[in-house]
Amino acid sequence: MDLTEVASIIGAEFNGISFEITGLNTLKEASSNEVTFVSNSKYIKDIQNTKAAAVIIDKSLKSHIPQGCAALVVDSPYWSMAVLSKYFSPPIEDDQLPYAEIGEGSRVSPKAEIANGAKIGKNCTILAHVYIGAQTVVGDNTIIYPNVTVYRDCTIGNDCIIHANTTIGSDGFGFATNKLGEHKKIYQNGNVAIEEDVEIGSSTTIDRAVFGTTLIKKGTRIDNLVQVGHNCEIGEYCVMVSQSGLAGSTKLGRNVVMGGQSATAGHLEIAPFNTFAARSGITKSIKESGKTFSGFPLMEHKMWLRLQVKIARLLK
Amino acid sequence: MDLTEVASIIGAEFNGISFEITGLNTLKEASSNEVTFVSNSKYIKDIQNTKAAAVIIDKSLKSHIPQGCAALVVDSPYWSMAVLSKYFSPPIEDDQLPYAEIGEGSRVSPKAEIANGAKIGKNCTILAHVYIGAQTVVGDNTIIYPNVTVYRDCTIGNDCIIHANTTIGSDGFGFATNKLGEHKKIYQNGNVAIEEDVEIGSSTTIDRAVFGTTLIKKGTRIDNLVQVGHNCEIGEYCVMVSQSGLAGSTKLGRNVVMGGQSATAGHLEIAPFNTFAARSGITKSIKESGKTFSGFPLMEHKMWLRLQVKIARLLK
Amino acid sequence: MDLTEVASIIGAEFNGISFEITGLNTLKEASSNEVTFVSNSKYIKDIQNTKAAAVIIDKSLKSHIPQGCAALVVDSPYWSMAVLSKYFSPPIEDDQLPYAEIGEGSRVSPKAEIANGAKIGKNCTILAHVYIGAQTVVGDNTIIYPNVTVYRDCTIGNDCIIHANTTIGSDGFGFATNKLGEHKKIYQNGNVAIEEDVEIGSSTTIDRAVFGTTLIKKGTRIDNLVQVGHNCEIGEYCVMVSQSGLAGSTKLGRNVVMGGQSATAGHLEIAPFNTFAARSGITKSIKESGKTFSGFPLMEHKMWLRLQVKIARLLK
């Protein structure tokens, strides 16, 4: 799709020289063939450094756009970006793609579905009722148990184990909301990448990125019924216990342990080697390493123990 | 089944004129061809207004039954209703029903199972390992990702997206318990109805109603690993974030936002445009609109923030 | 595999008379053809009573081993046990096993996969996209809804109902961690046994035991999105409400009720007829019966109510 067409879809004026636009991306990550957007004045600083071909923007911020970058002025940039995202969404399946490639020594159930364009490595075991989407690549020696769904464009490394009924690459929870309270889906055109030696439990959900990649680094262990939001990054050798969750764009350093039913807010950075007790609620980034935290609001575990003593005294 | 047979199954005496009974229902909703029950004396007022053909009832409450309505007297009405519910449960699949109808332009994977009696609208995408039950109707332009199960008798509107491994229409969590602590299943003979433009994440579970309908209104967005109990009603444009849950029969007004891991008790009514922060625990109905709440027990968010300051002081 | 081979895999010295080893097990449960391990000096007392063929052990504890039992001395017994566990793990599927047996009157979807060596009882209903693993045995009159996965070697009793997208027998969350923070999978070579008349909701996960059996006794009711960790034991007629969880090796007595989003720590014993309110967090064993508890930390429900009054006063 070219830039003139992009402008036309969102009802923005554009009279410059048009060229091919390959996708949408953030202010920071957009390349010179991508379109970006600003929905919040706190990102003003990032506008002038963007390499994007064009920025979908509110009239009031237009002057911050750097030279050589087009301004696509609209009333609600976030809503317009949502409208546009659909046009950059690839088809769910694509019959034109070549048949899936299956590596030597792999055992794939005839009741699994490996979509056109997918690649399975060597010595894998893919059980019945698994779905592997278009262009998804699975490494060697990986085991995928029944009823797992991996959406298109994801990568799963060598020596991974994915347990039954888990979903990898479903759409992140993204939408714009207008003044009437109506929602418009933001198509999630990124993917999920899982490195080597990762084990994931059953009925866990790992959402694809809106742009870019939701990343699970090597050696991480994820239990059952865990939620990983879009654009999260989980470091090496992390542990997420059952029913824990990460909201979107949160990053865990290596060897972080999330206890059962614990959860984080979105957009946090958690330093390596921290442990969160069961049901911790983490709402701020953590810069120190090697500590144990509990509670909601979160505090160091030893403080939480003291607090419980004080609360018990209240009852006397 | 006729009324004499109904009485016989639960061991109640009945000598009146028998006629066809089509199902079970609540005191308020039962029609003149349905049987109802009273298991709790707090519903005495509703007994006299019921239109039911018969009421399964404890001896002590028998006198409240209106004229023209039969009393089926038993020791444990709730248990008897459970026993009876099985007899009104349709078969899971029915080979006598006509082959499923698939609308023009729809792409249905040969590895999906569309049960006899189901109807799929136009331009839908139904991926591998999906199950659509008997008599279930899916609207136009709807996308159902792999490994989704929709039980029989449900309806899904136009322009919906259902992500992988989600279950729609599984049985609500209903049973009677006797004095020995044994449980008897209450068959859930209602359904789920999902209106247009609803998106539901992966591994979410939406239970069918015991009687009537579990209803999700148009434009609502539900994330991954969310629980919606039987007979809930979710208004237009609501948002339920990952790992949140609604217990049975709770109603959300339009544009209610349930934060991550938040939950409600059953049988509540929540006014429109309220927001519940992550991990809120809602145990009472809320009549005011447009507020933000937090905590468990629940309070207004600004009070919760003040409380955290007070608690922090305890530690000094 | 014989004992010499076992020693060689973990790099332990062994010069005794070798014989066939059939598996790994705990100090207490190991038979004279099994190997066990000690990873913690608090189990010293159990060492002298073990019937195991050999104990994987740290040098410092070697002297506690009883006569007739071999010591396999290594630096990190838990890690060595993890390494060894893989060798005792059976293949996921086994084409040499006889075709599955299906009992009279059972209806099995041609789109279900019943692995070789499995047995389905009489009058069962097994819907599309179900997976039943090798050597798994399902009793009579049991209904298994679409997209359920049951791993190998499990047993499901008569008159059970398993709802869609649930997983039974996936691997427990077990691994050893070395000083570098790297994890090594402990293969879960036990199973899950579900007795008669158990109903399990949708997207629930019940993990197989590391050794022995995860056991769900008769008449229990489990809701949607519930987690049951490896080696748990759930008594007769228990109730687990949606989004609740049990960490590994916890035992519930009969008629225990776990409210929505409640959870226990691991290795607890909960006496019969106790009720835990929604979101209770249980971290200690409970010996009294018939009480109602709430909160996290846990307390009797009436105390929790009083605490909320005190906390409300803090705000004035």
Side-chain angles (χ1 to χ4, degrees), chain C residues 122-197:
Chain C
K122 295 175 189 165
N123 302 316
C124 289
T125 303
I126 311 284
L127 289 141
H129 322 316
V130 165
Y131 178 88
I132 305 290
Q135 313 273 37
T136 281
V137 177
V138 176
D140 300 338
N141 314 315
T142 282
I143 298 167
I144 305 187
Y145 279 96
N147 291 307
V148 166
T149 298
V150 186
Y151 283 52
R152 61 168 299 157
D153 299 321
C154 296
T155 63
I156 297 178
N158 298 336
D159 303 304
C160 290
I161 302 176
I162 317 286
H163 286 283
N165 285 307
T166 275
T167 303
I168 293 169
S170 47
D171 286 356
F173 200 52
F175 46 85
T177 303
N178 67 14
K179 287 172 189 167
L180 298 172
E182 296 163 344
H183 310 303
K184 175 72 73 182
K185 178 177 177 69
I186 298 172
Y187 281 76
Q188 307 283 306
N189 297 327
N191 74 342
V192 174
I194 295 175
E195 293 184 355
E196 68 194 78
D197 184 30

Coordinates of all heavy atoms in Angstrom, one line a residue, chain C residues 122-197:
Chain C
K122 N -17.6 -48.5 28.3 CA -18.9 -48.6 27.6 C -19.7 -47.3 27.7 O -19.7 -46.6 28.7 CB -19.8 -49.7 28.2 CG -19.2 -51.1 28.1 CD -20.0 -52.1 28.8 CE -19.3 -53.5 28.9 NZ -19.9 -54.4 29.9
N123 N -20.5 -47.1 26.6 CA -21.4 -45.9 26.6 C -20.8 -44.6 26.9 O -21.4 -43.7 27.5 CB -22.6 -46.2 27.7 CG -23.3 -47.5 27.4 OD1 -23.6 -47.8 26.2 ND2 -23.5 -48.3 28.4
C124 N -19.6 -44.4 26.5 CA -18.9 -43.1 26.6 C -19.2 -42.3 25.4 O -19.6 -42.8 24.3 CB -17.4 -43.3 26.7 SG -16.9 -44.0 28.2
T125 N -19.1 -40.9 25.6 CA -19.2 -40.0 24.5 C -17.8 -39.3 24.4 O -17.5 -38.5 25.4 CB -20.3 -39.0 24.6 OG1 -21.5 -39.8 24.8 CG2 -20.4 -38.1 23.4
I126 N -17.1 -39.5 23.3 CA -15.8 -38.8 23.2 C -15.9 -37.9 21.9 O -16.1 -38.4 20.8 CB -14.7 -39.8 23.0 CG1 -14.7 -41.0 24.0 CG2 -13.3 -39.1 22.9 CD1 -14.2 -40.6 25.4
L127 N -15.9 -36.6 22.1 CA -16.2 -35.7 21.0 C -14.9 -35.4 20.2 O -13.8 -35.9 20.5 CB -16.9 -34.5 21.6 CG -18.3 -34.9 22.0 CD1 -18.7 -34.2 23.3 CD2 -19.3 -34.6 20.9
A128 N -15.1 -34.6 19.2 CA -14.1 -34.3 18.2 C -12.9 -33.6 18.9 O -13.0 -32.9 19.9 CB -14.6 -33.3 17.1
H129 N -11.7 -33.9 18.4 CA -10.4 -33.2 18.8 C -10.0 -33.5 20.2 O -9.2 -32.8 20.8 CB -10.5 -31.7 18.6 CG -11.3 -31.2 17.4 ND1 -11.0 -31.8 16.2 CD2 -12.2 -30.3 17.2 CE1 -11.8 -31.2 15.3 NE2 -12.6 -30.3 15.9
V130 N -10.6 -34.6 20.8 CA -10.1 -35.1 22.1 C -8.9 -35.9 21.8 O -8.8 -36.6 20.8 CB -11.2 -36.0 22.8 CG1 -10.7 -36.8 23.9 CG2 -12.4 -35.1 23.2
Y131 N -8.0 -35.9 22.7 CA -6.8 -36.8 22.7 C -6.7 -37.6 23.9 O -6.7 -37.1 25.0 CB -5.5 -35.9 22.5 CG -4.3 -36.8 22.5 CD1 -3.8 -37.3 21.3 CD2 -3.6 -37.1 23.7 CE1 -2.6 -38.0 21.3 CE2 -2.5 -37.9 23.7 CZ -2.0 -38.4 22.5 OH -0.9 -39.1 22.5
I132 N -6.7 -38.9 23.8 CA -6.5 -39.8 24.9 C -5.2 -40.6 24.7 O -5.0 -41.3 23.7 CB -7.7 -40.9 24.9 CG1 -9.0 -40.2 25.0 CG2 -7.5 -41.8 26.1 CD1 -9.4 -39.4 26.2
G133 N -4.3 -40.4 25.7 CA -2.9 -40.9 25.5 C -2.8 -42.5 25.7 O -3.7 -43.1 26.2
A134 N -1.6 -42.9 25.4 CA -1.3 -44.4 25.5 C -1.6 -44.9 26.9 O -1.2 -44.3 27.9 CB 0.2 -44.5 25.2
Q135 N -2.1 -46.0 27.0 CA -2.4 -46.7 28.3 C -3.4 -46.0 29.2 O -3.5 -46.5 30.3 CB -1.0 -46.9 29.1 CG 0.1 -47.5 28.2 CD 0.1 -49.0 28.1 OE1 -0.9 -49.6 28.1 NE2 1.3 -49.5 28.1
T136 N -3.9 -45.0 28.7 CA -4.9 -44.3 29.6 C -6.2 -45.1 29.5 O -6.6 -45.6 28.4 CB -5.1 -42.8 29.1 OG1 -4.0 -42.1 29.7 CG2 -6.4 -42.2 29.6
V137 N -6.9 -45.2 30.6 CA -8.1 -46.0 30.7 C -9.3 -45.1 31.2 O -9.2 -44.4 32.2 CB -8.0 -47.1 31.8 CG1 -9.3 -47.9 31.9 CG2 -6.8 -48.0 31.3
V138 N -10.4 -45.1 30.4 CA -11.6 -44.3 30.7 C -12.7 -45.3 31.0 O -12.9 -46.2 30.3 CB -12.0 -43.4 29.5 CG1 -13.3 -42.6 29.7 CG2 -10.8 -42.4 29.1
G139 N -13.4 -45.0 32.1 CA -14.5 -45.9 32.6 C -15.7 -45.8 31.7 O -15.7 -45.3 30.6
D140 N -16.8 -46.3 32.2 CA -18.1 -46.3 31.5 C -18.9 -45.0 31.7 O -18.8 -44.4 32.7 CB -19.0 -47.5 32.0 CG -18.3 -48.8 31.9 OD1 -17.4 -49.0 31.0 OD2 -18.7 -49.8 32.6
N141 N -19.7 -44.7 30.7 CA -20.7 -43.6 30.7 C -20.0 -42.2 30.9 O -20.6 -41.3 31.4 CB -21.6 -43.8 31.9 CG -22.2 -45.2 32.0 OD1 -22.6 -45.7 31.0 ND2 -22.2 -45.8 33.2
T142 N -18.7 -42.1 30.6 CA -18.0 -40.9 30.7 C -18.1 -40.0 29.5 O -18.1 -40.6 28.4 CB -16.6 -41.2 31.2 OG1 -16.6 -41.5 32.6 CG2 -15.6 -40.0 31.0
I143 N -18.3 -38.7 29.7 CA -18.4 -37.8 28.5 C -17.2 -36.9 28.5 O -16.8 -36.3 29.5 CB -19.7 -36.9 28.7 CG1 -20.9 -37.7 28.7 CG2 -19.7 -35.8 27.6 CD1 -22.2 -37.0 29.2
I144 N -16.5 -36.8 27.4 CA -15.3 -36.0 27.2 C -15.6 -35.0 26.1 O -15.7 -35.5 24.9 CB -14.0 -36.8 27.0 CG1 -13.9 -37.8 28.2 CG2 -12.8 -35.9 27.0 CD1 -12.6 -38.6 28.2
Y145 N -15.7 -33.8 26.4 CA -16.0 -32.7 25.4 C -14.8 -32.4 24.5 O -13.7 -32.8 24.8 CB -16.6 -31.5 26.2 CG -18.0 -31.6 26.6 CD1 -18.4 -32.1 27.8 CD2 -19.0 -31.4 25.6 CE1 -19.7 -32.2 28.2 CE2 -20.4 -31.5 26.0 CZ -20.7 -32.0 27.2 OH -22.0 -32.1 27.6
P146 N -15.1 -31.6 23.4 CA -14.1 -31.4 22.4 C -12.8 -30.7 23.0 O -12.8 -29.9 23.9 CB -14.8 -30.5 21.4 CG -16.2 -30.8 21.5 CD -16.4 -31.1 23.0
N147 N -11.7 -31.1 22.3 CA -10.4 -30.4 22.6 C -9.8 -30.7 24.0 O -8.9 -30.0 24.4 CB -10.5 -28.9 22.4 CG -10.6 -28.6 20.9 OD1 -9.8 -29.1 20.1 ND2 -11.7 -27.9 20.5
V148 N -10.3 -31.7 24.7 CA -9.7 -32.2 25.9 C -8.5 -33.0 25.6 O -8.5 -33.8 24.7 CB -10.7 -33.0 26.8 CG1 -10.0 -33.8 27.9 CG2 -11.8 -32.1 27.3
T149 N -7.4 -32.8 26.4 CA -6.3 -33.7 26.2 C -6.0 -34.5 27.5 O -5.9 -33.9 28.6 CB -5.0 -32.8 25.9 OG1 -5.2 -32.2 24.7 CG2 -3.7 -33.7 25.8
V150 N -5.9 -35.8 27.4 CA -5.6 -36.6 28.5 C -4.2 -37.3 28.1 O -4.2 -38.0 27.1 CB -6.6 -37.7 28.9 CG1 -6.2 -38.4 30.1 CG2 -8.0 -37.1 29.0
Y151 N -3.2 -37.0 28.9 CA -1.9 -37.6 28.6 C -1.9 -39.1 28.9 O -2.8 -39.7 29.5 CB -0.8 -36.9 29.4 CG -0.4 -35.6 28.9 CD1 -1.3 -34.5 28.7 CD2 1.0 -35.3 28.8 CE1 -0.9 -33.3 28.3 CE2 1.4 -34.0 28.4 CZ 0.5 -33.0 28.1 OH 0.9 -31.8 27.7
R152 N -0.8 -39.8 28.6 CA -0.7 -41.2 28.7 C -0.7 -41.7 30.2 O -0.5 -40.9 31.1 CB 0.6 -41.8 28.1 CG 1.9 -41.3 28.6 CD 3.0 -42.1 28.1 NE 2.9 -43.5 28.5 CZ 3.4 -44.6 27.9 NH1 4.2 -44.4 26.8 NH2 3.2 -45.8 28.3
D153 N -1.1 -42.9 30.4 CA -1.0 -43.6 31.7 C -2.0 -43.1 32.8 O -1.9 -43.5 34.0 CB 0.4 -43.5 32.3 CG 1.4 -44.2 31.4 OD1 1.1 -45.2 30.9 OD2 2.5 -43.6 31.3
C154 N -3.0 -42.3 32.4 CA -4.0 -41.8 33.4 C -5.2 -42.7 33.5 O -5.4 -43.6 32.6 CB -4.4 -40.4 33.0 SG -3.0 -39.2 33.1
T155 N -6.0 -42.6 34.5 CA -7.2 -43.3 34.6 C -8.4 -42.3 34.9 O -8.2 -41.4 35.8 CB -7.3 -44.4 35.6 OG1 -7.1 -43.8 36.9 CG2 -6.1 -45.4 35.4
I156 N -9.5 -42.4 34.2 CA -10.7 -41.6 34.5 C -11.8 -42.6 34.8 O -12.0 -43.6 34.0 CB -11.0 -40.7 33.3 CG1 -9.8 -39.8 33.0 CG2 -12.3 -40.0 33.4 CD1 -10.0 -38.9 31.8
G157 N -12.5 -42.4 35.8 CA -13.5 -43.3 36.3 C -14.8 -43.3 35.5 O -15.0 -42.6 34.5
N158 N -15.8 -44.0 36.0 CA -17.1 -44.1 35.4 C -17.9 -42.8 35.7 O -17.7 -42.1 36.7 CB -18.0 -45.2 36.1 CG -17.4 -46.6 35.8 OD1 -16.6 -46.8 34.9 ND2 -17.7 -47.5 36.7
D159 N -18.8 -42.4 34.8 CA -19.8 -41.4 35.1 C -19.1 -40.0 35.3 O -19.6 -39.1 36.0 CB -20.6 -41.7 36.3 CG -21.4 -43.0 36.1 OD1 -22.1 -43.1 35.1 OD2 -21.2 -43.9 36.9
C160 N -17.9 -39.8 34.6 CA -17.3 -38.5 34.7 C -17.7 -37.6 33.5 O -18.1 -38.1 32.5 CB -15.8 -38.6 34.7 SG -15.2 -39.4 36.3
I161 N -17.6 -36.3 33.7 CA -17.8 -35.3 32.6 C -16.6 -34.4 32.6 O -16.3 -33.8 33.6 CB -19.1 -34.5 32.8 CG1 -20.3 -35.4 32.9 CG2 -19.2 -33.5 31.7 CD1 -21.6 -34.7 33.2
I162 N -15.9 -34.3 31.5 CA -14.7 -33.4 31.4 C -15.0 -32.4 30.3 O -15.3 -32.8 29.1 CB -13.4 -34.2 30.9 CG1 -13.3 -35.6 31.7 CG2 -12.2 -33.3 31.1 CD1 -12.9 -35.4 33.1
H163 N -15.0 -31.2 30.6 CA -15.4 -30.1 29.7 C -14.3 -29.7 28.8 O -13.1 -30.0 29.0 CB -16.0 -28.9 30.4 CG -17.4 -29.3 30.9 ND1 -18.5 -29.3 30.0 CD2 -17.9 -29.6 32.1 CE1 -19.6 -29.7 30.7 NE2 -19.2 -29.9 32.0
A164 N -14.6 -29.0 27.8 CA -13.7 -28.7 26.6 C -12.4 -28.0 27.1 O -12.4 -27.2 28.0 CB -14.5 -27.7 25.7
N165 N -11.4 -28.3 26.3 CA -10.1 -27.6 26.4 C -9.4 -27.9 27.8 O -8.4 -27.2 28.1 CB -10.3 -26.1 26.2 CG -10.4 -25.8 24.7 OD1 -9.6 -26.2 23.9 ND2 -11.5 -25.1 24.4
T166 N -9.9 -28.9 28.5 CA -9.2 -29.2 29.8 C -8.0 -30.2 29.5 O -8.1 -30.9 28.5 CB -10.2 -29.7 30.8 OG1 -10.8 -28.6 31.4 CG2 -9.6 -30.6 31.8
T167 N -7.0 -30.1 30.4 CA -5.8 -30.9 30.2 C -5.6 -31.8 31.5 O -5.6 -31.2 32.6 CB -4.6 -30.1 30.0 OG1 -4.8 -29.2 28.9 CG2 -3.3 -30.9 29.8
I168 N -5.5 -33.1 31.3 CA -5.3 -34.0 32.4 C -4.0 -34.7 32.1 O -3.9 -35.4 31.1 CB -6.5 -34.9 32.5 CG1 -7.7 -34.1 33.0 CG2 -6.2 -36.0 33.5 CD1 -9.0 -34.8 32.9
G169 N -3.1 -34.6 33.1 CA -1.9 -35.4 33.0 C -0.7 -34.7 32.4 O 0.3 -35.4 32.1
S170 N -0.8 -33.4 32.2 CA 0.4 -32.7 31.7 C 1.5 -32.7 32.8 O 1.2 -32.9 33.9 CB 0.0 -31.2 31.3 OG -0.8 -30.6 32.3
D171 N 2.7 -32.4 32.4 CA 3.8 -32.5 33.3 C 3.7 -31.5 34.5 O 3.4 -30.4 34.3 CB 5.1 -32.3 32.6 CG 5.5 -33.4 31.7 OD1 4.8 -34.4 31.7 OD2 6.5 -33.3 31.0
G172 N 3.9 -32.0 35.7 CA 4.1 -31.1 36.8 C 5.2 -30.2 36.6 O 6.1 -30.4 35.8
F173 N 5.2 -29.1 37.3 CA 6.2 -28.0 37.2 C 7.4 -28.4 38.0 O 7.5 -27.9 39.2 CB 5.5 -26.7 37.6 CG 6.2 -25.5 37.1 CD1 6.4 -25.3 35.8 CD2 6.6 -24.4 38.0 CE1 7.0 -24.1 35.3 CE2 7.1 -23.3 37.5 CZ 7.4 -23.1 36.2
G174 N 8.3 -29.2 37.5 CA 9.4 -29.7 38.2 C 10.7 -29.5 37.5 O 10.8 -30.0 36.4
F175 N 11.7 -29.0 38.2 CA 13.1 -28.8 37.6 C 14.1 -28.6 38.7 O 13.7 -28.1 39.8 CB 13.1 -27.7 36.5 CG 12.5 -26.4 37.0 CD1 13.2 -25.5 37.8 CD2 11.1 -26.2 36.7 CE1 12.6 -24.4 38.3 CE2 10.5 -25.0 37.2 CZ 11.3 -24.1 38.0
A176 N 15.3 -29.0 38.4 CA 16.4 -28.6 39.3 C 17.1 -27.4 38.8 O 17.0 -27.1 37.6 CB 17.4 -29.8 39.4
T177 N 17.7 -26.6 39.6 CA 18.3 -25.4 39.2 C 19.8 -25.4 39.7 O 20.0 -25.7 40.9 CB 17.6 -24.1 39.8 OG1 16.2 -24.2 39.3 CG2 18.2 -22.8 39.3
N178 N 20.7 -25.1 38.9 CA 22.1 -25.1 39.4 C 22.6 -23.7 39.8 O 21.8 -22.8 39.8 CB 23.1 -25.7 38.3 CG 23.1 -24.8 37.0 OD1 22.7 -23.7 37.1 ND2 23.7 -25.4 36.0
K179 N 23.8 -23.6 40.2 CA 24.3 -22.3 40.7 C 24.3 -21.2 39.7 O 24.4 -20.0 40.1 CB 25.7 -22.5 41.3 CG 25.7 -23.3 42.6 CD 27.1 -23.7 43.1 CE 26.9 -24.6 44.3 NZ 28.2 -25.3 44.7
L180 N 24.4 -21.6 38.4 CA 24.3 -20.6 37.4 C 22.9 -20.1 37.1 O 22.6 -19.2 36.3 CB 24.9 -21.1 36.1 CG 26.4 -21.5 36.2 CD1 26.8 -22.2 34.9 CD2 27.2 -20.3 36.4
G181 N 21.9 -20.7 37.8 CA 20.5 -20.4 37.6 C 19.9 -21.1 36.4 O 18.8 -20.9 36.0
E182 N 20.6 -22.1 35.8 CA 20.0 -22.9 34.8 C 19.1 -24.0 35.3 O 19.4 -24.5 36.4 CB 21.2 -23.6 33.9 CG 22.1 -22.5 33.2 CD 23.4 -23.2 32.8 OE1 23.7 -24.3 33.3 OE2 24.1 -22.5 32.0
H183 N 18.1 -24.3 34.5 CA 17.1 -25.3 35.0 C 17.2 -26.6 34.2 O 17.5 -26.6 33.0 CB 15.7 -24.8 34.8 CG 15.5 -23.4 35.3 ND1 15.7 -23.1 36.7 CD2 15.0 -22.2 34.8 CE1 15.4 -21.8 36.9 NE2 15.0 -21.3 35.8
K184 N 17.0 -27.7 34.9 CA 17.0 -29.0 34.2 C 15.7 -29.7 34.6 O 15.3 -29.9 35.7 CB 18.2 -29.9 34.8 CG 18.2 -31.3 34.4 CD 18.7 -31.5 32.9 CE 20.1 -31.2 32.7 NZ 20.5 -31.3 31.3
K185 N 15.0 -30.1 33.5 CA 13.6 -30.7 33.7 C 13.7 -32.0 34.5 O 14.5 -32.8 34.2 CB 13.0 -31.0 32.3 CG 11.7 -31.7 32.4 CD 11.1 -31.9 31.0 CE 9.8 -32.6 31.0 NZ 8.7 -31.9 31.5
I186 N 12.8 -32.1 35.4 CA 12.5 -33.4 36.1 C 11.3 -34.0 35.4 O 10.2 -33.6 35.5 CB 12.2 -33.2 37.6 CG1 13.4 -32.6 38.3 CG2 11.9 -34.6 38.2 CD1 13.2 -32.2 39.7
Y187 N 11.6 -35.1 34.6 CA 10.5 -35.8 33.9 C 9.5 -36.3 34.9 O 9.8 -36.8 36.0 CB 11.0 -36.9 33.0 CG 11.6 -36.2 31.7 CD1 12.8 -35.6 31.8 CD2 10.9 -36.2 30.6 CE1 13.3 -34.9 30.6 CE2 11.4 -35.6 29.4 CZ 12.6 -34.9 29.5 OH 13.1 -34.3 28.4
Q188 N 8.2 -36.1 34.6 CA 7.1 -36.4 35.5 C 6.6 -37.8 35.1 O 5.7 -37.9 34.2 CB 6.1 -35.3 35.4 CG 6.6 -33.9 35.7 CD 6.9 -33.6 37.1 OE1 6.1 -33.7 38.0 NE2 8.2 -33.2 37.4
N189 N 7.1 -38.8 35.7 CA 6.8 -40.2 35.3 C 5.6 -40.8 36.0 O 5.4 -42.0 35.8 CB 8.1 -41.0 35.4 CG 9.1 -40.5 34.4 OD1 8.8 -40.0 33.4 ND2 10.4 -40.6 34.8
G190 N 4.9 -40.1 36.9 CA 3.7 -40.5 37.5 C 2.5 -40.3 36.6 O 2.6 -40.2 35.4
N191 N 1.3 -40.3 37.2 CA 0.1 -40.2 36.4 C -1.0 -39.4 37.2 O -0.7 -38.8 38.2 CB -0.4 -41.5 36.0 CG -1.1 -42.3 37.1 OD1 -0.9 -42.0 38.3 ND2 -1.8 -43.3 36.8
V192 N -2.2 -39.3 36.6 CA -3.4 -38.8 37.2 C -4.4 -39.9 37.3 O -4.6 -40.6 36.3 CB -3.9 -37.6 36.5 CG1 -5.2 -37.1 37.1 CG2 -2.9 -36.4 36.4
A193 N -5.1 -40.0 38.4 CA -6.2 -40.9 38.5 C -7.4 -40.1 39.0 O -7.4 -39.4 40.0 CB -5.9 -42.0 39.5
I194 N -8.5 -40.2 38.3 CA -9.8 -39.5 38.6 C -10.8 -40.6 38.9 O -11.0 -41.5 38.0 CB -10.2 -38.6 37.4 CG1 -9.1 -37.5 37.3 CG2 -11.6 -38.1 37.6 CD1 -9.3 -36.6 36.1
E195 N -11.4 -40.6 40.0 CA -12.4 -41.6 40.4 C -13.7 -41.3 39.7 O -13.9 -40.4 39.0 CB -12.5 -41.7 41.9 CG -11.2 -42.2 42.5 CD -11.3 -42.4 44.1 OE1 -12.4 -42.0 44.6 OE2 -10.4 -42.9 44.7
E196 N -14.7 -42.1 40.1 CA -16.0 -42.0 39.5 C -16.8 -40.7 39.8 O -16.6 -40.1 40.9 CB -16.9 -43.2 39.9 CG -17.3 -43.2 41.3 CD -17.8 -44.5 41.8 OE1 -17.0 -45.4 42.1 OE2 -19.1 -44.6 42.0
D197 N -17.7 -40.3 39.0 CA -18.7 -39.2 39.2 C -18.0 -37.9 39.5 O -18.4 -37.1 40.4 CB -19.6 -39.6 40.4 CG -20.7 -38.5 40.6 OD1 -21.1 -37.8 39.6 OD2 -21.1 -38.3 41.8

